[in-house]
Amino acid sequence: MTHLFSGPAALAAGFRLITTPGMKRFVLVPLLSNIVILSAFIWFVLGLLGGWVDSVVAMLPEWLSFMSWLLWPLALISILGFVVYGFNATTALIAAPFNGLLAEKIEHKLRNGQVSFPDETLAEMAKRSLQRELQKQWFFLKRVLLLLIISFIPVINLLSPVLWFLFSVWMLSVQYMDYPMDNHKIDFHAMQRRLKQNWWHTVSFGLVCYLLMFVPFINLIFMPAAVAGATWLWVQQVSIHPDAALELPSGMKDI
């Protein structure tokens, strides 16, 4: 399979894996948190978008009034980027220990039990997952603040929608690919190096995640599927070596 299709293949495998016997109980908390928080963010954005764009248009000098038609798509992309970050940060903090446990169970299944994880209690795992999640969100937040500053600088802010989009794609890959790597206690900087070595798989996976977040109904069960899909990609590609060929796991040939 070419690198181009590694992202779609991973998510397809993820959706199938979360429905296999023994996995559903690990999906419940991420699924419920995803539904509640996503619904709240959609309601928030719909109320915010119209008023925000109207206020910006009203501030434009008369000689720039012709640009009002351009503000809607630019504002939409920028706000979507901010919403993706906010939604991702909120759900990840709530579901981090459960996502880590789900990734562990998925990897155990994919490797037919031929895998070992650090010996720790559930409480220790939950503490480790939350600490890692806070480190990850601090990493994201510094970049979000920079993007927000850029968004308010005239002329340069025309680039902000593109930057928000690229950031969102990369952030989603880092968010979900980190779970299986953290389970093996790969430190945060080593995790980033792995993703950069596998940059095409990383971008492909993040792009599909980004698109699926805006597909009705699919986005409601997106989070656990993304965790499972990221774990599948870790097992099949990232944990091996950067140039390894990506193949479907046994029993997944029909995905």
Short mmCIF file of all heavy atoms in Angstrom, two decimals, residues 88-147:
data_model
loop_
_atom_site.label_atom_id
_atom_site.label_comp_id
_atom_site.label_asym_id
_atom_site.label_seq_id
_atom_site.Cartn_x
_atom_site.Cartn_y
_atom_site.Cartn_z
N ASN A 88 -10.17 19.08 20.73
CA ASN A 88 -9.15 18.06 20.92
C ASN A 88 -8.57 18.12 22.34
O ASN A 88 -8.42 17.10 23.02
CB ASN A 88 -8.04 18.25 19.89
CG ASN A 88 -6.92 17.24 20.04
OD1 ASN A 88 -7.08 16.08 19.72
ND2 ASN A 88 -5.77 17.70 20.51
N ALA A 89 -8.26 19.34 22.80
CA ALA A 89 -7.67 19.50 24.13
C ALA A 89 -8.63 19.07 25.22
O ALA A 89 -8.24 18.39 26.18
CB ALA A 89 -7.25 20.96 24.32
N THR A 90 -9.89 19.46 25.10
CA THR A 90 -10.87 19.16 26.14
C THR A 90 -11.14 17.67 26.25
O THR A 90 -11.09 17.08 27.33
CB THR A 90 -12.19 19.90 25.86
OG1 THR A 90 -11.93 21.30 25.70
CG2 THR A 90 -13.18 19.71 26.99
N THR A 91 -11.44 17.04 25.10
CA THR A 91 -11.75 15.61 25.13
C THR A 91 -10.53 14.78 25.52
O THR A 91 -10.65 13.77 26.23
CB THR A 91 -12.27 15.14 23.77
OG1 THR A 91 -11.34 15.50 22.74
CG2 THR A 91 -13.63 15.73 23.47
N ALA A 92 -9.35 15.20 25.06
CA ALA A 92 -8.14 14.43 25.35
C ALA A 92 -7.83 14.42 26.83
O ALA A 92 -7.42 13.39 27.38
CB ALA A 92 -6.96 15.00 24.55
N LEU A 93 -8.01 15.56 27.51
CA LEU A 93 -7.74 15.61 28.95
C LEU A 93 -8.70 14.72 29.73
O LEU A 93 -8.31 14.09 30.71
CB LEU A 93 -7.83 17.05 29.45
CG LEU A 93 -6.65 17.96 29.08
CD1 LEU A 93 -6.97 19.41 29.42
CD2 LEU A 93 -5.38 17.50 29.79
N ILE A 94 -9.95 14.66 29.29
CA ILE A 94 -10.93 13.84 29.99
C ILE A 94 -10.69 12.35 29.73
O ILE A 94 -10.74 11.52 30.64
CB ILE A 94 -12.36 14.22 29.55
CG1 ILE A 94 -12.69 15.65 30.00
CG2 ILE A 94 -13.38 13.23 30.08
CD1 ILE A 94 -14.00 16.17 29.47
N ALA A 95 -10.39 12.03 28.48
CA ALA A 95 -10.35 10.61 28.09
C ALA A 95 -8.94 10.03 28.01
O ALA A 95 -8.79 8.87 27.63
CB ALA A 95 -11.05 10.45 26.73
N ALA A 96 -7.91 10.81 28.37
CA ALA A 96 -6.52 10.34 28.19
C ALA A 96 -6.25 8.96 28.79
O ALA A 96 -5.71 8.08 28.09
CB ALA A 96 -5.54 11.37 28.77
N PRO A 97 -6.59 8.70 30.05
CA PRO A 97 -6.30 7.35 30.60
C PRO A 97 -7.04 6.25 29.87
O PRO A 97 -6.50 5.16 29.66
CB PRO A 97 -6.78 7.46 32.06
CG PRO A 97 -6.80 8.93 32.36
CD PRO A 97 -7.19 9.57 31.07
N PHE A 98 -8.29 6.53 29.46
CA PHE A 98 -9.08 5.53 28.75
C PHE A 98 -8.54 5.28 27.34
O PHE A 98 -8.55 4.15 26.85
CB PHE A 98 -10.55 5.97 28.69
CG PHE A 98 -11.14 6.23 30.04
CD1 PHE A 98 -11.19 7.52 30.56
CD2 PHE A 98 -11.63 5.19 30.83
CE1 PHE A 98 -11.72 7.76 31.81
CE2 PHE A 98 -12.16 5.42 32.07
CZ PHE A 98 -12.21 6.71 32.58
N ASN A 99 -8.08 6.36 26.69
CA ASN A 99 -7.49 6.21 25.36
C ASN A 99 -6.19 5.41 25.42
O ASN A 99 -5.89 4.61 24.53
CB ASN A 99 -7.23 7.58 24.74
CG ASN A 99 -8.51 8.25 24.25
OD1 ASN A 99 -9.50 7.57 24.00
ND2 ASN A 99 -8.48 9.56 24.13
N GLY A 100 -5.39 5.66 26.47
CA GLY A 100 -4.16 4.90 26.64
C GLY A 100 -4.45 3.42 26.84
O GLY A 100 -3.77 2.55 26.27
N LEU A 101 -5.48 3.11 27.63
CA LEU A 101 -5.86 1.72 27.87
C LEU A 101 -6.39 1.07 26.59
O LEU A 101 -6.07 -0.08 26.27
CB LEU A 101 -6.91 1.65 28.96
CG LEU A 101 -7.37 0.25 29.41
CD1 LEU A 101 -6.19 -0.56 29.92
CD2 LEU A 101 -8.45 0.37 30.49
N LEU A 102 -7.20 1.84 25.83
CA LEU A 102 -7.72 1.33 24.55
C LEU A 102 -6.58 1.02 23.59
O LEU A 102 -6.57 -0.03 22.94
CB LEU A 102 -8.68 2.35 23.94
CG LEU A 102 -9.20 2.03 22.53
CD1 LEU A 102 -9.98 0.72 22.52
CD2 LEU A 102 -10.08 3.18 22.00
N ALA A 103 -5.60 1.92 23.49
CA ALA A 103 -4.45 1.69 22.61
C ALA A 103 -3.69 0.44 23.02
O ALA A 103 -3.22 -0.33 22.18
CB ALA A 103 -3.53 2.91 22.62
N GLU A 104 -3.56 0.23 24.32
CA GLU A 104 -2.86 -0.96 24.82
C GLU A 104 -3.59 -2.24 24.42
O GLU A 104 -2.98 -3.21 23.94
CB GLU A 104 -2.73 -0.87 26.33
CG GLU A 104 -1.99 -2.05 26.95
CD GLU A 104 -1.85 -1.93 28.46
OE1 GLU A 104 -1.32 -0.89 28.91
OE2 GLU A 104 -2.27 -2.86 29.18
N LYS A 105 -4.92 -2.25 24.59
CA LYS A 105 -5.70 -3.44 24.26
C LYS A 105 -5.69 -3.69 22.74
O LYS A 105 -5.65 -4.85 22.30
CB LYS A 105 -7.14 -3.28 24.75
CG LYS A 105 -7.26 -3.13 26.27
CD LYS A 105 -6.62 -4.29 27.00
CE LYS A 105 -6.73 -4.12 28.51
NZ LYS A 105 -6.04 -5.21 29.25
N ILE A 106 -5.75 -2.62 21.95
CA ILE A 106 -5.72 -2.78 20.50
C ILE A 106 -4.38 -3.36 20.06
O ILE A 106 -4.32 -4.28 19.22
CB ILE A 106 -5.97 -1.43 19.80
CG1 ILE A 106 -7.42 -0.96 20.02
CG2 ILE A 106 -5.64 -1.51 18.31
CD1 ILE A 106 -8.46 -1.78 19.31
N GLU A 107 -3.28 -2.84 20.61
CA GLU A 107 -1.97 -3.35 20.22
C GLU A 107 -1.80 -4.81 20.65
O GLU A 107 -1.22 -5.62 19.91
CB GLU A 107 -0.85 -2.50 20.81
CG GLU A 107 0.52 -2.95 20.36
CD GLU A 107 1.64 -1.99 20.69
OE1 GLU A 107 1.36 -0.90 21.22
OE2 GLU A 107 2.82 -2.34 20.41
N HIS A 108 -2.30 -5.13 21.80
CA HIS A 108 -2.23 -6.52 22.28
C HIS A 108 -2.96 -7.44 21.30
O HIS A 108 -2.48 -8.55 20.99
CB HIS A 108 -2.85 -6.61 23.67
CG HIS A 108 -2.61 -7.90 24.37
ND1 HIS A 108 -3.45 -8.99 24.25
CD2 HIS A 108 -1.61 -8.31 25.21
CE1 HIS A 108 -2.98 -10.00 24.96
NE2 HIS A 108 -1.87 -9.61 25.56
N LYS A 109 -4.09 -6.99 20.79
CA LYS A 109 -4.86 -7.78 19.84
C LYS A 109 -4.14 -7.89 18.49
O LYS A 109 -4.05 -8.98 17.90
CB LYS A 109 -6.25 -7.14 19.63
CG LYS A 109 -7.16 -7.89 18.66
CD LYS A 109 -8.48 -7.18 18.52
CE LYS A 109 -9.42 -7.96 17.60
NZ LYS A 109 -9.81 -9.27 18.17
N LEU A 110 -3.62 -6.77 18.01
CA LEU A 110 -2.94 -6.78 16.71
C LEU A 110 -1.68 -7.63 16.70
O LEU A 110 -1.33 -8.23 15.68
CB LEU A 110 -2.59 -5.34 16.30
CG LEU A 110 -3.76 -4.43 15.91
CD1 LEU A 110 -3.28 -3.01 15.70
CD2 LEU A 110 -4.47 -4.94 14.65
N ARG A 111 -1.00 -7.70 17.84
CA ARG A 111 0.24 -8.48 17.92
C ARG A 111 -0.02 -9.89 18.48
O ARG A 111 0.92 -10.60 18.84
CB ARG A 111 1.26 -7.75 18.80
CG ARG A 111 1.72 -6.41 18.24
CD ARG A 111 2.91 -5.88 19.01
NE ARG A 111 3.27 -4.53 18.64
CZ ARG A 111 4.07 -4.20 17.62
NH1 ARG A 111 4.55 -5.14 16.84
NH2 ARG A 111 4.35 -2.93 17.38
N ASN A 112 -1.31 -10.25 18.55
CA ASN A 112 -1.68 -11.58 19.04
C ASN A 112 -1.07 -11.90 20.40
O ASN A 112 -0.63 -13.03 20.68
CB ASN A 112 -1.25 -12.66 18.03
CG ASN A 112 -1.97 -12.50 16.70
OD1 ASN A 112 -3.18 -12.29 16.66
ND2 ASN A 112 -1.24 -12.59 15.60
N GLY A 113 -1.04 -10.87 21.25
CA GLY A 113 -0.55 -11.04 22.61
C GLY A 113 0.96 -11.02 22.74
O GLY A 113 1.49 -11.09 23.86
N GLN A 114 1.68 -10.92 21.60
CA GLN A 114 3.15 -10.96 21.64
C GLN A 114 3.71 -9.55 21.83
O GLN A 114 4.43 -9.01 20.98
CB GLN A 114 3.68 -11.57 20.33
CG GLN A 114 3.16 -12.97 20.05
CD GLN A 114 3.51 -13.95 21.16
OE1 GLN A 114 4.68 -14.05 21.55
NE2 GLN A 114 2.51 -14.67 21.66
N VAL A 115 3.37 -8.92 22.93
CA VAL A 115 3.84 -7.58 23.24
C VAL A 115 3.84 -7.41 24.75
O VAL A 115 2.99 -7.96 25.45
CB VAL A 115 2.95 -6.50 22.57
CG1 VAL A 115 1.51 -6.61 23.04
CG2 VAL A 115 3.49 -5.10 22.82
N SER A 116 4.79 -6.67 25.26
CA SER A 116 4.85 -6.39 26.70
C SER A 116 4.82 -4.89 26.93
O SER A 116 5.39 -4.12 26.14
CB SER A 116 6.10 -7.00 27.32
OG SER A 116 7.27 -6.45 26.74
N PHE A 117 4.18 -4.48 27.99
CA PHE A 117 4.08 -3.08 28.37
C PHE A 117 4.70 -2.91 29.75
O PHE A 117 4.85 -3.89 30.50
CB PHE A 117 2.62 -2.63 28.39
CG PHE A 117 1.95 -2.67 27.04
CD1 PHE A 117 1.12 -3.72 26.69
CD2 PHE A 117 2.18 -1.66 26.11
CE1 PHE A 117 0.52 -3.76 25.45
CE2 PHE A 117 1.58 -1.69 24.87
CZ PHE A 117 0.74 -2.75 24.53
N PRO A 118 5.07 -1.68 30.11
CA PRO A 118 5.62 -1.44 31.45
C PRO A 118 4.68 -1.96 32.53
O PRO A 118 3.46 -1.81 32.44
CB PRO A 118 5.76 0.09 31.50
CG PRO A 118 5.88 0.51 30.07
CD PRO A 118 5.02 -0.44 29.29
N ASP A 119 5.25 -2.57 33.53
CA ASP A 119 4.46 -3.12 34.64
C ASP A 119 4.02 -1.98 35.55
O ASP A 119 4.84 -1.37 36.25
CB ASP A 119 5.30 -4.14 35.42
CG ASP A 119 4.49 -4.86 36.48
OD1 ASP A 119 3.24 -4.84 36.38
OD2 ASP A 119 5.09 -5.42 37.41
N GLU A 120 2.72 -1.67 35.54
CA GLU A 120 2.20 -0.58 36.36
C GLU A 120 0.73 -0.84 36.67
O GLU A 120 0.04 -1.53 35.91
CB GLU A 120 2.36 0.77 35.64
CG GLU A 120 1.72 0.84 34.28
CD GLU A 120 2.02 2.14 33.54
OE1 GLU A 120 2.70 3.01 34.11
OE2 GLU A 120 1.59 2.27 32.39
N THR A 121 0.26 -0.26 37.75
CA THR A 121 -1.15 -0.39 38.11
C THR A 121 -1.98 0.55 37.25
O THR A 121 -1.45 1.44 36.58
CB THR A 121 -1.36 -0.05 39.59
OG1 THR A 121 -1.04 1.36 39.78
CG2 THR A 121 -0.47 -0.91 40.48
N LEU A 122 -3.30 0.39 37.30
CA LEU A 122 -4.19 1.28 36.56
C LEU A 122 -4.04 2.72 37.02
O LEU A 122 -4.09 3.66 36.22
CB LEU A 122 -5.64 0.82 36.70
CG LEU A 122 -6.06 -0.40 35.87
CD1 LEU A 122 -7.48 -0.80 36.20
CD2 LEU A 122 -5.91 -0.10 34.37
N ALA A 123 -3.87 2.91 38.34
CA ALA A 123 -3.69 4.26 38.88
C ALA A 123 -2.41 4.89 38.35
O ALA A 123 -2.39 6.07 37.99
CB ALA A 123 -3.67 4.22 40.40
N GLU A 124 -1.34 4.12 38.29
CA GLU A 124 -0.07 4.63 37.76
C GLU A 124 -0.18 4.95 36.28
O GLU A 124 0.36 5.96 35.82
CB GLU A 124 1.04 3.60 38.00
CG GLU A 124 1.43 3.44 39.46
CD GLU A 124 2.36 2.26 39.69
OE1 GLU A 124 2.37 1.33 38.85
OE2 GLU A 124 3.08 2.26 40.72
N MET A 125 -0.90 4.11 35.56
CA MET A 125 -1.10 4.36 34.13
C MET A 125 -1.92 5.63 33.91
O MET A 125 -1.61 6.44 33.03
CB MET A 125 -1.82 3.18 33.48
CG MET A 125 -2.07 3.36 31.99
SD MET A 125 -3.02 2.01 31.27
CE MET A 125 -3.12 2.57 29.57
N ALA A 126 -2.97 5.81 34.72
CA ALA A 126 -3.80 7.01 34.60
C ALA A 126 -2.98 8.27 34.90
O ALA A 126 -3.09 9.28 34.18
CB ALA A 126 -4.99 6.92 35.54
N LYS A 127 -2.14 8.21 35.93
CA LYS A 127 -1.30 9.36 36.27
C LYS A 127 -0.32 9.67 35.15
O LYS A 127 -0.14 10.83 34.77
CB LYS A 127 -0.55 9.07 37.57
CG LYS A 127 0.36 10.21 38.02
CD LYS A 127 1.09 9.86 39.31
CE LYS A 127 2.04 10.99 39.72
NZ LYS A 127 2.78 10.65 40.96
N ARG A 128 0.31 8.63 34.60
CA ARG A 128 1.26 8.82 33.50
C ARG A 128 0.57 9.42 32.28
O ARG A 128 1.09 10.33 31.64
CB ARG A 128 1.92 7.49 33.14
CG ARG A 128 2.75 7.54 31.86
CD ARG A 128 3.43 6.22 31.58
NE ARG A 128 2.53 5.11 31.50
CZ ARG A 128 1.79 4.82 30.43
NH1 ARG A 128 1.82 5.61 29.37
NH2 ARG A 128 1.01 3.75 30.42
N SER A 129 -0.62 8.92 31.97
CA SER A 129 -1.36 9.40 30.79
C SER A 129 -1.73 10.87 30.94
O SER A 129 -1.62 11.65 29.98
CB SER A 129 -2.62 8.55 30.58
OG SER A 129 -2.29 7.22 30.31
N LEU A 130 -2.17 11.26 32.13
CA LEU A 130 -2.55 12.66 32.35
C LEU A 130 -1.33 13.58 32.30
O LEU A 130 -1.42 14.69 31.74
CB LEU A 130 -3.26 12.79 33.70
CG LEU A 130 -4.70 12.25 33.74
CD1 LEU A 130 -5.23 12.26 35.17
CD2 LEU A 130 -5.61 13.08 32.83
N GLN A 131 -0.22 13.15 32.86
CA GLN A 131 1.00 13.96 32.80
C GLN A 131 1.46 14.15 31.36
O GLN A 131 1.84 15.24 30.96
CB GLN A 131 2.10 13.30 33.62
CG GLN A 131 1.88 13.38 35.13
CD GLN A 131 2.92 12.61 35.92
OE1 GLN A 131 3.56 11.68 35.42
NE2 GLN A 131 3.09 12.98 37.19
N ARG A 132 1.40 13.07 30.59
CA ARG A 132 1.79 13.15 29.18
C ARG A 132 0.82 14.06 28.41
O ARG A 132 1.24 14.85 27.55
CB ARG A 132 1.79 11.75 28.58
CG ARG A 132 2.17 11.67 27.10
CD ARG A 132 3.62 12.09 26.83
NE ARG A 132 4.05 11.60 25.54
CZ ARG A 132 5.01 10.71 25.36
NH1 ARG A 132 5.67 10.23 26.41
NH2 ARG A 132 5.33 10.31 24.15
N GLU A 133 -0.46 13.97 28.74
CA GLU A 133 -1.45 14.79 28.05
C GLU A 133 -1.22 16.27 28.34
O GLU A 133 -1.35 17.12 27.46
CB GLU A 133 -2.86 14.38 28.49
CG GLU A 133 -3.95 14.89 27.56
CD GLU A 133 -3.79 14.38 26.14
OE1 GLU A 133 -3.55 13.18 25.95
OE2 GLU A 133 -3.89 15.22 25.21
N LEU A 134 -0.89 16.62 29.58
CA LEU A 134 -0.61 18.01 29.92
C LEU A 134 0.62 18.51 29.17
O LEU A 134 0.65 19.66 28.70
CB LEU A 134 -0.42 18.14 31.43
CG LEU A 134 -1.68 17.98 32.28
CD1 LEU A 134 -1.33 17.91 33.75
CD2 LEU A 134 -2.66 19.13 32.02
N GLN A 135 1.64 17.66 29.05
CA GLN A 135 2.83 18.04 28.28
C GLN A 135 2.48 18.28 26.82
O GLN A 135 2.94 19.24 26.20
CB GLN A 135 3.88 16.93 28.39
CG GLN A 135 5.18 17.24 27.63
CD GLN A 135 6.17 16.09 27.69
OE1 GLN A 135 5.83 14.95 28.03
NE2 GLN A 135 7.42 16.37 27.36
N LYS A 136 1.64 17.41 26.29
CA LYS A 136 1.22 17.52 24.90
C LYS A 136 0.41 18.79 24.67
O LYS A 136 0.63 19.52 23.69
CB LYS A 136 0.39 16.28 24.54
CG LYS A 136 0.33 15.96 23.09
CD LYS A 136 -0.20 14.56 22.78
CE LYS A 136 -0.97 13.88 23.86
NZ LYS A 136 -1.46 12.55 23.46
N GLN A 137 -0.52 19.09 25.57
CA GLN A 137 -1.37 20.27 25.40
C GLN A 137 -0.57 21.56 25.57
O GLN A 137 -0.88 22.57 24.94
CB GLN A 137 -2.54 20.22 26.38
CG GLN A 137 -3.51 19.07 26.12
CD GLN A 137 -3.99 19.00 24.67
OE1 GLN A 137 -4.22 20.02 24.03
NE2 GLN A 137 -4.14 17.78 24.15
N TRP A 138 0.45 21.56 26.41
CA TRP A 138 1.31 22.73 26.54
C TRP A 138 2.08 22.96 25.23
O TRP A 138 2.24 24.10 24.78
CB TRP A 138 2.27 22.55 27.71
CG TRP A 138 3.30 23.64 27.85
CD1 TRP A 138 4.64 23.51 27.80
CD2 TRP A 138 3.05 25.04 28.05
NE1 TRP A 138 5.27 24.73 27.95
CE2 TRP A 138 4.31 25.70 28.12
CE3 TRP A 138 1.89 25.81 28.19
CZ2 TRP A 138 4.43 27.06 28.30
CZ3 TRP A 138 2.02 27.18 28.39
CH2 TRP A 138 3.28 27.79 28.43
N PHE A 139 2.54 21.88 24.63
CA PHE A 139 3.21 21.93 23.33
C PHE A 139 2.28 22.55 22.28
O PHE A 139 2.69 23.42 21.49
CB PHE A 139 3.62 20.51 22.92
CG PHE A 139 4.17 20.39 21.53
CD1 PHE A 139 5.49 20.70 21.25
CD2 PHE A 139 3.36 19.95 20.49
CE1 PHE A 139 6.00 20.57 19.96
CE2 PHE A 139 3.86 19.82 19.21
CZ PHE A 139 5.19 20.13 18.94
N PHE A 140 1.01 22.14 22.27
CA PHE A 140 0.05 22.67 21.31
C PHE A 140 -0.30 24.13 21.62
O PHE A 140 -0.40 24.96 20.72
CB PHE A 140 -1.24 21.85 21.34
CG PHE A 140 -1.09 20.43 20.85
CD1 PHE A 140 -1.90 19.42 21.37
CD2 PHE A 140 -0.16 20.10 19.88
CE1 PHE A 140 -1.77 18.11 20.93
CE2 PHE A 140 -0.02 18.79 19.43
CZ PHE A 140 -0.83 17.80 19.96
N LEU A 141 -0.49 24.43 22.91
CA LEU A 141 -0.96 25.76 23.30
C LEU A 141 0.01 26.85 22.88
O LEU A 141 -0.41 27.93 22.43
CB LEU A 141 -1.17 25.81 24.82
CG LEU A 141 -1.68 27.13 25.39
CD1 LEU A 141 -3.02 27.51 24.78
CD2 LEU A 141 -1.78 27.05 26.91
N LYS A 142 1.30 26.61 22.99
CA LYS A 142 2.29 27.61 22.59
C LYS A 142 2.15 27.95 21.11
O LYS A 142 2.29 29.12 20.71
CB LYS A 142 3.71 27.10 22.88
CG LYS A 142 4.04 27.05 24.37
CD LYS A 142 5.47 26.62 24.62
CE LYS A 142 5.70 25.17 24.29
NZ LYS A 142 7.08 24.73 24.67
N ARG A 143 1.83 26.98 20.30
CA ARG A 143 1.67 27.21 18.87
C ARG A 143 0.32 27.86 18.55
O ARG A 143 0.22 28.66 17.62
CB ARG A 143 1.84 25.88 18.13
CG ARG A 143 3.31 25.46 18.07
CD ARG A 143 3.53 23.98 18.11
NE ARG A 143 4.97 23.70 18.12
CZ ARG A 143 5.73 23.74 19.20
NH1 ARG A 143 5.20 24.05 20.37
NH2 ARG A 143 7.02 23.49 19.13
N VAL A 144 -0.69 27.53 19.34
CA VAL A 144 -1.99 28.17 19.17
C VAL A 144 -1.90 29.67 19.48
O VAL A 144 -2.47 30.50 18.76
CB VAL A 144 -3.05 27.50 20.07
CG1 VAL A 144 -4.31 28.34 20.16
CG2 VAL A 144 -3.38 26.11 19.52
N LEU A 145 -1.19 30.02 20.53
CA LEU A 145 -1.03 31.44 20.89
C LEU A 145 -0.32 32.20 19.77
O LEU A 145 -0.68 33.33 19.44
CB LEU A 145 -0.26 31.57 22.20
CG LEU A 145 -0.98 31.05 23.45
CD1 LEU A 145 -0.07 31.12 24.67
CD2 LEU A 145 -2.26 31.84 23.69
N LEU A 146 0.70 31.58 19.17
CA LEU A 146 1.39 32.20 18.05
C LEU A 146 0.45 32.39 16.86
O LEU A 146 0.44 33.46 16.23
CB LEU A 146 2.59 31.34 17.63
CG LEU A 146 3.41 31.85 16.44
CD1 LEU A 146 3.99 33.23 16.72
CD2 LEU A 146 4.51 30.85 16.09
N LEU A 147 -0.36 31.39 16.57
CA LEU A 147 -1.32 31.50 15.47
C LEU A 147 -2.36 32.58 15.74
O LEU A 147 -2.78 33.29 14.82
CB LEU A 147 -2.00 30.15 15.24
CG LEU A 147 -1.15 29.08 14.55
CD1 LEU A 147 -1.88 27.75 14.56
CD2 LEU A 147 -0.82 29.49 13.12
#
